[in-house]
Amino acid sequence: MAVTAAKAMNAKKQLHMVSVLSVEWKRKLMILGIVAGTFLTYRYLLPVILPFLAAWLLAAWLNPYALRLQSYTRIKKNIWNVILLATVFAILVVLLYLGAKELLGQLKTAVANFSVLLSWASVFLDKGCALLEDVTGIAKESSRAYILSHLSGMQEEFLAALSPQTFARVSSAVKKIVVLFSGIVVTFIGSILMMADMENLHRKIWDYSWLVSIRRVVNQLKRTTAVYLKAQVIIMLIVAGICAAGFWIMKSPYFLILGIVLGLLDALPVIGTGTFLYPAAFLFLIKGNFAVAAGCVLLDVITSILREYLEPKLLGGKLGISPIAVLASVYIGIFLYGGCGVFLGPLSFSTIYESGKVWDVWD
């Protein structure tokens, strides 16, 4: 009897161990599935459904205004839908046209003045190397040769980018423009259709039981990551506008390009606008242009204070997102998604984390 009981206990222990291992493997497979599903969704599915997602956001934003206007007037809601959407799209098209025209003009000026910019940079390099020699004792010829040897590779890449083979790819750019235009048309038509049937769509979404888990993940993302990304985009646009205005006041012919670059730098965690502005201020100081040097420092001070003021206001102090986690997710996102990884990286990280919480796969 004792032997039989011992065998039964061993069998139960073995079954328990097998059960634990089975659960552990299921948990690991679910984590792998969540990670793979998130990557595939944002990498391949998102570009396809982006026009419909934009249409949904536009419809959800404008639908209350259309209902209010219908209650104030005798005009039907469907007519107000078209009027509101046409107005929004017209404003966006005008702003994009003016911005693209100015940006292309500044790029043309930069290309036309490439030799002038090169000589200007050479003067800066000579003065900087001379100052380095006074401070460290390193011969300016040696430091200049070292820097130029590294810049030569960058120059070759730049010239290769302007080669005839590159311009032969215009057809690819035309295809992208056609896809973009098609996406805008789909967004416009989709917004009208969704606004016309918004209440019914809301009801159907809530009726589908299999969307419960997805809705929980989306709602959590709306309270956390979406708030963070929205705040960063708003701050980035404000910083870009202030920097562009500042360089316009300093009479830079490339004020729009510099504003956009500094806005993007400010959106990157840890890096910020000072990465560009303080070296620029140092170079202008060497050249003897004290007003522009002071302007660069002032721009960084203004944008830093602005970020410190706006972040608590826009985030509400509710998000405890670690800067190192954001930096890592941005870096991995850029590696996986390209330039869009600045936003898709943190979004993917949060989606994986929140999905794991909903399906209870984290220890």
Side-chain angles (χ1 to χ4, degrees):
M1 289 291 292
V3 174
T4 305
K7 288 182 177 179
M9 288 292 294
N10 288 332
K12 286 182 179 180
K13 287 181 181 179
Q14 289 177 358
L15 286 173
H16 179 69
M17 290 179 63
V18 169
S19 177
V20 169
L21 290 173
S22 177
V23 170
E24 185 65 18
W25 272 106
K26 286 180 180 178
R27 189 178 72 86
K28 290 180 179 179
L29 287 174
M30 285 188 69
I31 293 173
L32 183 62
I34 290 171
V35 172
T38 300
F39 170 72
L40 293 174
T41 297
Y42 288 130
R43 182 67 177 85
Y44 298 105
L45 183 60
L46 183 62
V48 177
I49 66 171
L50 191 59
F52 300 98
L53 181 61
W56 172 263
L57 294 175
L58 270 175
W61 173 45
L62 295 177
N63 189 61
Y65 296 104
L67 289 171
R68 195 176 303 173
L69 289 168
Q70 179 183 240
S71 65
Y72 292 154
T73 63
R74 295 180 180 274
I75 302 174
K76 292 182 178 180
K77 175 176 172 287
N78 290 340
I79 297 176
W80 280 118
N81 292 345
V82 177
I83 292 173
L84 288 174
L85 283 169
T87 303
V88 170
F89 272 82
I91 293 172
L92 289 176
V93 168
V94 170
L95 291 176
L96 287 174
Y97 170 76
L98 294 176
K101 183 180 178 182
E102 181 64 33
L103 184 62
L104 288 173
Q106 292 185 20
L107 288 172
K108 287 180 181 178
T109 303
V111 172
N113 296 333
F114 182 73
S115 58
V116 177
L117 292 173
L118 199 61
S119 62
W120 183 66
S122 179
V123 172
F124 272 139
L125 181 61
D126 289 339
K127 291 187 177 181
C129 292
L131 181 63
L132 185 66
E133 183 179 18
D134 295 337
V135 174
T136 64
I138 299 174
K140 61 181 182 181
E141 293 79 8
S142 301
S143 58
R144 191 177 191 278
Y146 176 79
I147 294 172
L148 288 177
S149 65
H150 284 75
L151 290 177
S152 61
M154 295 174 60
Q155 184 178 3
E156 290 174 3
E157 291 180 5
F158 178 77
L159 293 175
L162 297 177
S163 64
Q165 289 81 1
T166 302
F167 288 111
R169 301 172 187 169
V170 172
S171 59
S172 176
V174 171
K175 290 179 182 177
K176 291 180 180 178
I177 293 172
V178 171
V179 170
L180 177 63
F181 180 75
S182 302
I184 293 172
V185 173
V186 170
T187 301
F188 183 80
I189 297 174
S191 299
I192 295 175
L193 296 176
M194 290 179 184
M195 287 176 71
D197 200 26
M198 181 61 71
E199 292 76 15
N200 191 32
L201 285 172
H202 270 295
R203 187 167 56 253
K204 286 183 177 180
I205 289 174
W206 284 104
D207 285 343
Y208 289 127
S209 58
W210 58 275
L211 288 175
V212 172
S213 298
I214 295 176
R215 285 202 303 268
R216 288 170 60 188
V217 174
V218 171
N219 288 334
Q220 188 60 27
L221 290 175
K222 284 167 64 177
R223 289 192 293 267
T224 56
T225 309
V227 175
Y228 172 79
L229 292 177
K230 179 182 176 182
Q232 298 307 315
V233 169
I234 292 173
I235 295 172
M236 180 183 70
L237 292 175
I238 294 174
V239 168
I242 290 174
C243 291
F247 280 105
W248 178 75
I249 292 172
M250 288 185 276
K251 298 181 180 179
S252 170
Y254 315 110
F255 64 91
L256 188 58
I257 298 174
L258 293 172
I260 292 172
V261 170
L262 288 171
L264 292 173
L265 284 176
D266 187 73
L268 297 175
V270 182
I271 297 175
T273 56
T275 306
F276 172 84
L277 287 172
Y278 282 112
F282 176 71
L283 292 175
F284 280 112
L285 192 63
I286 294 174
K287 191 180 178 184
N289 198 334
F290 301 109
V292 177
C296 290
V297 174
L298 183 61
L299 274 180
D300 183 68
V301 172
I302 291 173
T303 54
S304 298
I305 293 174
L306 188 69
R307 172 169 283 278
E308 291 297 322
Y309 173 78
L310 286 177
E311 271 194 342
K313 295 287 183 182
L314 294 172
L315 297 177
K318 299 177 182 177
L319 302 179
I321 300 177
S322 170
I324 189 64
V326 176
L327 180 62
S329 62
V330 167
Y331 173 76
I332 296 172
I334 292 174
F335 180 77
L336 293 175
Y337 304 113
C340 296
V342 174
F343 302 106
L344 290 181
L347 187 59
S348 298
F349 175 80
S350 296
T351 302
I352 292 169
Y353 177 69
E354 297 299 339
S355 299
K357 281 172 48 177
V358 168
W359 281 287
D360 195 22
V361 298
W362 306 127
D363 288 335

